[in-house]
Amino acid sequence: MIEGAIFDMDGLMFDTEPIWTETWAPVLATIGKEYPDGLADAVRGTSGKSMEAIINRFVPDVDASYVREAAYAMVHERIEQGVPKKPGVDELLDYLKGRGIPMAVASSSSLDAIRTNLANGGVSEYFGELFTGVGMAHPKPEPDIFLKTAEAMGVDPAHTLVFEDSLSGVRAGVAGGFITIMVPDMIAPDDFAKENAALICKDLLEVRDRLAAGELE
């Protein structure tokens, strides 16, 4: 029996990943650095020290914390203008609410960004708990954020859905023992995701339909 559902945000519920992709070059330009190919893909789904380590791997000898914070600020300025929801968000949320399943958000974005997107998208009411990976000692791909969210919800990870679009998020969900569902956005599933995700769906509408068909009961 499904006890709860935990959602990632960027690239899963909201089409924010293109904004993140377009942000790194102008942020690096402010400190006289060129954008290195692959950085946007490498940091996708990460936060905090994990993100900073990747930034320094691609752009050595920069203040990675400044780059990260500047990127967060630029992205937040963009999302305040409103970001489109991904297909199936409303339908899946309505389905889960109708079944009485509590829902939460566990995202690598800041709490301000989470709240802004949920409010602009008209879906704040669905979520009882909001958690950010920013400032966590062990962000995704470690499972800490999902385990912390499940504890706050009072649900068993083995009976809790985790919805993710990123490879790091899938690894975090699987490591925490969750029923992990991948809905790829800008990165295709790798071998790990193919072997370990409970479902891989093209969008959240397909997720709703497959859950309604009882595939994970």
Side-chain angles (χ1 to χ4, degrees):
M1 179 180 176
I2 296 172
E3 298 178 4
I6 303 174
F7 287 74
D8 178 49
M9 183 182 70
D10 294 301
L12 179 86
M13 291 195 290
F14 295 91
D15 196 20
T16 49
E17 291 295 1
I19 296 174
W20 278 100
T21 299
E22 296 164 3
T23 294
W24 296 107
V27 166
L28 289 170
T30 66
I31 55 174
K33 298 290 185 178
E34 293 187 1
Y35 171 79
D37 289 340
L39 173 61
D41 287 343
V43 298
R44 188 166 288 115
T46 67
S47 62
K49 296 300 182 183
S50 294
M51 179 182 284
E52 290 175 15
I54 294 170
I55 291 170
N56 275 141
R57 177 154 53 88
F58 278 80
V59 193
D61 303 322
V62 299
D63 183 347
S65 64
Y66 164 80
V67 174
R68 177 180 60 81
E69 290 171 7
Y72 270 91
M74 187 175 292
V75 168
H76 192 264
E77 184 177 346
R78 290 277 303 278
I79 67 174
E80 284 184 329
Q81 303 167 25
V83 180
K85 285 184 285 189
K86 302 287 282 186
V89 170
D90 295 321
E91 290 85 351
L92 178 56
L93 294 178
D94 283 339
Y95 171 77
L96 294 172
K97 181 180 179 181
R99 294 193 58 191
I101 296 173
M103 292 173 271
V105 175
S107 169
S108 297
S109 284
S110 67
L111 275 177
D112 283 345
I114 295 169
R115 293 187 178 113
T116 297
N117 273 324
L118 297 182
N120 287 345
V123 295
S124 300
E125 65 180 284
Y126 291 93
F127 300 101
E129 303 287 346
L130 307 177
F131 284 92
T132 173
V134 177
M136 293 196 74
H138 305 290
K140 301 175 189 176
E142 300 301 320
D144 298 36
I145 188 171
F146 291 139
L147 293 171
K148 182 177 179 180
T149 305
E151 182 180 7
M153 297 171 74
V155 296
D156 179 357
H159 298 283
T160 301
L161 302 170
V162 160
F163 300 108
E164 270 286 353
D165 70 292
S166 72
L167 300 178
S168 63
V170 170
R171 288 182 177 276
V174 171
F178 293 86
I179 305 166
T180 306
I181 298 175
M182 184 179 189
V183 183
D185 181 33
M186 300 185 76
I187 297 292
D190 61 4
D191 289 341
F192 179 89
K194 292 175 183 177
E195 294 170 5
N196 292 280
L199 295 174
I200 297 177
C201 301
K202 68 178 184 298
D203 57 31
L204 295 176
L205 280 171
E206 181 183 347
V207 174
R208 189 275 312 269
D209 292 344
R210 295 179 72 175
L211 291 178
E215 290 196 30
L216 295 179
E217 293 295 339

